[in-house]
Amino acid sequence: MKAFIRETLERQRLRLHELDALLSAPDAVDDLDRFRQLTREHADTDAVVQPYLRYLQRETDRREAEAMAQDSDSELAAMAREEIAQADSELAALETELQALLVPKDPDDDRHAFLEIRAGTGGDEAALFAGDLTRMYTRYAERQGWRVETVSASPAELGGYKEVVLRVAGPRAYGTLRFESGGHRVQRVPATESQGRIHTSACTVAVMPEPDEAEAVQLNPADLRIDTFRASGAGGQHINKTDSAVRVVHLPTGLVAECQDGRSQHSNKAKALQVLQARLQEKERREREAKEAAERKGLIGSGDRSDRIRTYNFPQGRLTDHRINLTLYKLALVMEGDLDEVVHALQLARGAELLAELEQQADQNARGALA
């Protein structure tokens, strides 16, 4: 374990003792707001300290087993070697768990998400690929027990979508899907290709947290143009009979959001406004992050939809995520929603990146204190 991580965990252990003392003080409940704050901090700190204590215990067990491995009794030494191997395995797993627990939490990670998929270069084939991505994410969401709603969709003539916006509702939906933002490239032989040639097409994906009502970007009605129109596509007998679909244009930025999913014009307007708020919030987030970390080289989480983040090569059955050099030869399973391995690898990579930044900051602070 890195010295920086161990030092951080030791500070957490000391802080837990402090919190125990503060919460057991006779006047602890005199200030209920402070008591609730300390209780939440205690729960968060304890969630880190308990696995750290297990880690320390397994380190002790391993040292004792190393001593036993030198015993002249061959049977005892063999048992000790087995204990060492088991301890090494558990220590590695605990270290991974602890690193994940130390990664700074984004308050948006627990939110529901809006998932926008837009066909790019490649014409009809790009639209078909947008449909495939929609199915992939829908299947993945079902595996997680999340609920998926179609907010708006623009179907293409030969199938798939020119653009589709989904609302994904479930625990940590945004935190899980956030690294899907970017350019997705597909390489395959289209059904319309008579010569059997491989074509390359692309889609862009944007994942945005659903805004909290209390923190959502405030929209000035004077900045909005709201249009109603008749919805298109499957949706029941009301389709094409009433102007229930709603399109909202944010005039200062030109951002557009629409919803045609529900029967009610009122509910469609509310959903469209929510998507617009999410897009404005994401725009502000990207601009802020660009200013704060212009020098950052990693692409994970940048959300820049011009970045090519992943390639889906159908002839080889290969998926490649270019940000972390991950290659999997299980494309058929991935397209059916088996994204766990990809998502987990991206989360680990991002966590390692954030911990490295914290370590660098700690080193800078230490040097500054010595200067």
Side-chain angles (χ1 to χ4, degrees):
M1 179 182 287
K2 287 186 176 181
F4 162 73
I5 294 176
R6 192 180 291 271
E7 290 166 5
T8 303
L9 290 167
E10 283 296 332
R11 286 196 297 271
Q12 292 280 308
R13 184 162 69 152
L14 290 174
R15 179 58 179 164
L16 186 63
H17 290 313
E18 293 175 359
L19 291 167
D20 284 335
L22 290 169
L23 288 169
S24 60
D27 60 348
V29 295
D30 289 353
D31 185 339
L32 287 179
D33 287 339
R34 181 172 180 271
F35 180 75
R36 281 192 288 266
Q37 182 181 352
L38 290 173
T39 301
R40 284 194 297 269
E41 185 183 353
H42 186 279
D44 292 341
T45 306
D46 190 62
V48 176
V49 171
Q50 291 307 318
Y52 179 50
L53 294 177
R54 291 199 298 274
Y55 184 91
L56 293 177
Q57 181 59 53
R58 292 306 280 149
E59 277 190 326
T60 301
D61 296 341
R62 191 188 188 287
R63 285 193 295 269
E64 293 174 354
E66 281 183 326
M68 289 173 55
Q70 308 304 318
D71 198 285
S72 57
D73 186 328
S74 59
E75 186 174 341
L76 190 63
M79 290 175 58
R81 286 192 293 272
E82 289 181 10
E83 171 64 18
I84 290 171
Q86 184 176 352
D88 284 341
S89 176
E90 291 181 23
L91 285 168
L94 283 167
E95 184 170 352
T96 299
E97 179 185 352
L98 287 165
Q99 288 184 14
L101 289 169
L102 289 179
V103 173
K105 303 296 187 293
D106 186 327
D108 285 337
D109 281 353
D110 291 327
R111 298 196 187 285
H112 304 323
F114 288 114
L115 180 67
E116 173 188 290
I117 304 169
R118 184 173 298 165
T121 56
D124 293 332
E125 174 61 15
L128 290 170
F129 182 47
D132 293 337
L133 290 177
T134 301
R135 172 188 168 88
M136 178 184 78
Y137 289 124
T138 300
R139 289 290 180 90
Y140 178 68
E142 291 171 352
R143 288 168 176 254
Q144 307 305 310
W146 299 337
R147 188 174 72 257
V148 179
E149 306 168 19
T150 301
V151 176
S152 66
S154 178
E157 291 182 7
L158 297 183
Y161 299 101
K162 298 174 184 175
E163 179 182 325
V164 61
V165 179
L166 306 175
R167 178 179 181 265
V168 184
R172 289 189 57 81
Y174 175 70
T176 305
L177 293 171
R178 61 185 301 173
F179 303 127
E180 295 303 300
S181 290
H184 295 241
R185 184 178 68 169
V186 62
Q187 296 171 328
R188 62 184 175 187
V189 179
T192 55
E193 169 58 58
S194 59
Q195 303 297 319
R197 293 172 298 187
I198 296 173
H199 287 224
T200 299
S201 305
C203 289
T204 56
V205 173
V207 182
M208 303 164 289
E210 183 178 78
D212 182 274
E213 290 185 7
E215 301 173 5
V217 176
Q218 296 303 308
L219 298 174
N220 183 349
D223 291 337
L224 304 177
R225 190 183 77 233
I226 300 177
D227 304 321
T228 59
F229 60 98
R230 292 186 180 181
S232 60
Q237 293 181 351
H238 69 290
I239 293 296
N240 290 328
K241 291 188 178 181
T242 60
D243 291 340
S244 60
V246 175
R247 180 184 297 111
V248 182
V249 181
H250 187 245
L251 299 174
T253 61
L255 289 174
V256 180
E258 64 180 50
C259 181
Q260 54 180 292
D261 185 50
R263 289 177 186 270
S264 163
Q265 187 182 109
H266 178 76
S267 66
N268 281 340
K269 178 182 175 182
K271 282 187 179 179
L273 287 170
Q274 202 171 29
V275 173
L276 181 61
Q277 286 175 319
R279 287 177 176 167
L280 285 168
Q281 190 168 284
E282 183 67 11
K283 180 175 181 291
E284 289 184 0
R285 175 207 290 268
R286 290 214 300 265
E287 290 173 351
R288 183 174 64 251
E289 289 180 349
K291 289 179 181 178
E292 293 174 351
E295 76 285 353
R296 181 178 294 167
K297 295 179 181 178
L299 293 177
I300 297 175
S302 70
D304 185 343
R305 286 182 281 169
S306 65
D307 295 331
R308 185 192 70 191
I309 64 166
R310 190 176 299 154
T311 295
Y312 304 72
N313 186 300
F314 276 75
Q316 297 179 15
R318 169 174 56 83
L319 176 143
T320 301
D321 196 292
H322 305 288
R323 296 164 294 179
I324 55 175
N325 295 320
L326 172 71
T327 297
L328 301 174
Y329 288 90
K330 49 183 283 187
L331 184 55
L333 292 174
V334 168
M335 298 310 293
E336 288 297 319
D338 185 2
L339 276 168
D340 288 328
E341 190 171 352
V342 183
V343 168
H344 185 59
L346 287 165
Q347 290 174 332
L348 286 178
R350 179 56 171 163
E353 183 181 286
L354 288 173
L355 285 175
E357 290 176 6
L358 288 176
E359 184 175 7
Q360 184 180 21
Q361 185 62 48
D363 289 344
Q364 290 175 352
N365 292 341
R367 287 195 296 269
L370 294 174

